[in-house]
Amino acid sequence: MANGETRQARVVRALVNPDRTPAESLAWIAVLLFVPTILRASLDMGALGRPFVTYWPALLIASLALELRYALTYLVVASLLAQRLFGGEPWFSQMSVVRSLLFMLFVFSGGLTVLIGSILRGAMRRIAVVNAEQERYNRELRHRVRNMLTLIQALASRGPKAASAMDFYKEFSLRIEGLAAASDLLQIGAEAEGRLPQLVRDTVAPFEHDDRIRMTGEPCVLPAGSCIPLIMALHELCTNAVKYGALSGGRGHVELSWFIGPSGSTLYILWAEKGGPRVISPERPGIGSRLLVPQPGIEGLELNFDPAGVWCEMRIEGVRPLER
């Protein structure tokens, strides 16, 4: 039963989801006219009356598969074709109250079918978008949870310099609280503009100790749409540095700098790892690499696995200097 439902769901998605071109829509109309016409002609050529009966299922399919204007076009063309081929005489060859009422009932029924099909099509497309977003959020959540656990393990194994177990507990707890605060920034960034250097400082705080992430740059304000992408990109760079890069040992450090270009609205951010283990380029990109690509909010991003240390350059448009 589950397999049957899955196949049905795939058929419905294939019918409803694609954005069809005008040529494709016209081709669908032609097919949906041809099939019921041939079917009705092979049965009785309209001798039994009800000329439109074989077109109703095709009208429903057109309502689900096509945009509203193309579905209405199908309704009009199919009505004229059915009446012309299988209806005997034209609709208004003989005017009467009954024929007029039947015509209005037919128009109402056909229009209602198209309207309901169009509404259903829109609802199913929106559901598909929501499901796709939910799946993307779930993948990102799984990735972030794995990263969080790895970070906690790395922070614990690297070990705060403490003289006693209680001192270790207090310092380690501060790091965990900082990590949680950085995660909270993802929600804050969606609601307000990000101000540098505060946004950067809060993001890297859980990974920073002994001045190993050295930040320099002029104060500025990011556009709201750049906050979340930048936070996630920096979080990913910090995570990788702790797991594999300059922050995984005791000697390396990161130089994080930024400046506004001559245009006055373009921000350049440079992440450069120094003194860490020799860098080996990954054989295949991981899930986190999706955060380190050009995307809405980060118009340019270049990531380089230099053997001497990873470096990443980002470009963000629409910033403005922060008046001091």
Side-chain angles (χ1 to χ4, degrees):
M1 184 66 177
N3 291 337
E5 293 176 352
T6 301
R7 286 194 295 270
Q8 293 172 8
R10 285 199 295 266
V11 170
V12 172
R13 284 196 299 270
L15 183 68
V16 172
N17 289 343
D19 291 319
R20 295 182 171 85
T21 64
E24 291 174 335
S25 298
L26 293 176
W28 271 76
I29 291 176
V31 172
L32 292 174
L33 288 172
F34 178 78
V35 173
T37 300
I38 294 299
L39 179 61
R40 185 58 189 268
S42 65
L43 293 177
D44 64 347
M45 285 301 296
L48 298 178
R50 298 181 178 86
F52 202 75
V53 66
T54 57
Y55 293 86
W56 283 113
L59 177 61
L60 180 58
I61 294 175
S63 303
L64 293 173
L66 305 176
E67 295 180 10
L68 179 60
R69 54 177 175 168
Y70 291 108
L72 289 173
T73 300
Y74 176 83
L75 173 60
V76 173
V77 175
S79 302
L80 297 174
L81 182 64
Q83 182 65 27
R84 179 69 178 85
L85 296 179
F86 311 116
E89 56 187 7
W91 260 316
F92 299 109
S93 59
Q94 297 179 7
M95 292 295 296
S96 68
V97 175
V98 174
R99 290 175 67 88
S100 299
L101 289 176
L102 288 175
F103 174 76
M104 288 188 291
L105 180 60
F106 170 79
V107 172
F108 174 77
S109 301
L112 187 61
T113 300
V114 171
L115 179 61
I116 293 176
S118 180
I119 294 174
L120 181 60
R121 180 174 187 264
M124 295 177 69
R125 288 167 67 90
R126 288 191 292 272
I127 291 173
V129 171
V130 171
N131 288 340
E133 290 182 351
Q134 184 179 26
E135 179 60 26
R136 179 169 61 85
Y137 292 150
N138 286 338
R139 287 197 303 268
E140 180 57 33
L141 178 61
R142 290 193 295 269
H143 173 66
R144 290 184 62 194
V145 168
R146 286 195 296 267
N147 266 354
M148 195 75 68
L149 294 175
T150 303
L151 280 172
I152 293 173
Q153 184 180 22
L155 292 172
S157 61
R158 191 172 59 194
K161 300 179 178 65
S164 66
M166 183 56 66
D167 291 338
F168 176 93
Y169 170 76
K170 290 180 179 179
E171 188 173 347
F172 186 69
S173 296
L174 289 176
R175 292 185 183 180
I176 298 299
E177 290 175 2
L179 189 60
S183 297
D184 290 341
L185 288 175
L186 293 175
Q187 292 184 347
I188 296 173
E191 299 170 358
E193 293 176 322
R195 296 173 179 263
L196 270 59
Q198 188 62 42
L199 183 69
V200 172
R201 185 180 298 120
D202 291 343
T203 301
V204 305
F207 312 89
E208 161 65 3
H209 68 98
D210 298 336
D211 194 30
R212 297 183 65 187
I213 301 181
R214 303 165 188 177
M215 292 172 282
T216 58
E218 55 190 300
C220 60
V221 179
L222 297 176
S226 297
C227 295
I228 288 180
L230 179 59
I231 290 170
M232 297 182 74
L234 290 176
H235 199 279
E236 185 66 22
L237 288 169
C238 288
T239 298
N240 293 337
V242 169
K243 293 162 67 175
Y244 317 112
L247 303 182
S248 62
R251 297 182 179 180
H253 69 277
V254 174
E255 294 180 0
L256 179 55
S257 58
W258 62 90
F259 65 93
I260 298 177
S263 67
S265 61
T266 302
L267 178 69
Y268 297 92
I269 303 174
L270 179 62
W271 169 283
E273 299 184 21
K274 310 282 187 179
R278 182 176 177 82
V279 174
I280 300 176
S281 180
E283 296 180 359
R284 58 186 180 87
I287 296 178
S289 63
R290 300 173 185 173
L291 304 175
L292 300 175
V293 295
Q295 56 190 286
I298 302 180
E299 285 71 19
L301 190 149
E302 182 178 358
L303 179 64
N304 188 285
F305 293 94
D306 190 303
V310 172
W311 61 265
C312 179
E313 182 177 325
M314 290 176 272
R315 175 173 54 86
I316 297 176
E317 302 288 349
V319 304
R320 68 174 189 271
L322 187 62
E323 298 181 1
R324 302 186 182 184

